[in-house]
Amino acid sequence: MNNHEKYTRYSGAQSVTEALKFLEGRWKLLILFQLFGGQIMRFSELERAIPGITQKMLGQQLKQLEKDGIIKRTAYPEVPPRVEYSLTQWGQDLCPALDALLTWTGKRPR
Amino acid sequence: MNNHEKYTRYSGAQSVTEALKFLEGRWKLLILFQLFGGQIMRFSELERAIPGITQKMLGQQLKQLEKDGIIKRTAYPEVPPRVEYSLTQWGQDLCPALDALLTWTGKRPR
DNA sequence: CAGGATCCGAAAAGATACTG
DNA sequence: CAGTATCTTTTCGGATCCTG
């Protein structure tokens, strides 16, 4: 292998590593899957839809996903407060990659 | 959304979560990228090729990857010992999924 | 309703030393 | 060479209580 190929492999690893950091942790994918297909959900809806998640973890992960540009948060200045979450375009773009991972899992020998 | 779609989304999340468990951690992808393309590498080669990894982490991750059926370990009964690592077929099958993730990373808005 | 703040235990990662 | 054992440090997740 030449140096170019070495470099390509290494930089690919770095990029994918970075990509996985956006998804890592026990809850992020469970949240994202709730939002796929253009769903719009409120905080309490997500809380109910994801069994076992605590408010702390939900809030924490939502904040990170928003900061990473994967989901969008919309707050309405009402009483009681209402906040809605949805995927950004980039968040929707994740679908094919997750499908590919699903396919891979399906190929797993047993 | 009906219950079937609910279930499908949930089970998809579970499967992808499971898939990511095979890849999670800071080092596994860096190891795998060294082996893509049918490379065969020894323990010490991997150690040198992956900056910052410790022997402990390398050994630990290699053991898990082997147990998960992603890489193959071949030990030669020599002195000094020689051990070679390569991808299994399933390990090679991972390529498209990682490519999809790379594509996704590339789409990231800045 | 939608969270933030705090404390705690478990788990993962890292540093270092040792071995067949 | 190819690891393992041990110890320390860091990170993660959960429980609980509080607030605009």
Side-chain angles (χ1 to χ4, degrees), chain A residues 95-109:
Chain A
C95 246
L98 295 186
D99 277 342
L101 275 174
L102 256 172
T103 301
W104 179 64
T105 311
K107 287 186 183 172
R108 186 179 176 206

Side-chain angles (χ1 to χ4, degrees), chain A residues 24-41:
Chain A
E24 117 191 320
R26 191 175 154 187
W27 302 110
K28 284 189 187 149
L29 285 176
L30 294 172
I31 295 170
L32 292 181
F33 267 82
Q34 295 296 326
L35 300 175
F36 273 125
Q39 303 302 326
I40 298 174
M41 292 181 78

Side-chain angles (χ1 to χ4, degrees), chain B residues 25-27 54 56-57 81:
Chain B
R26 191 175 153 188
W27 302 111
T54 61
K56 174 189 167 183
M57 293 312 292

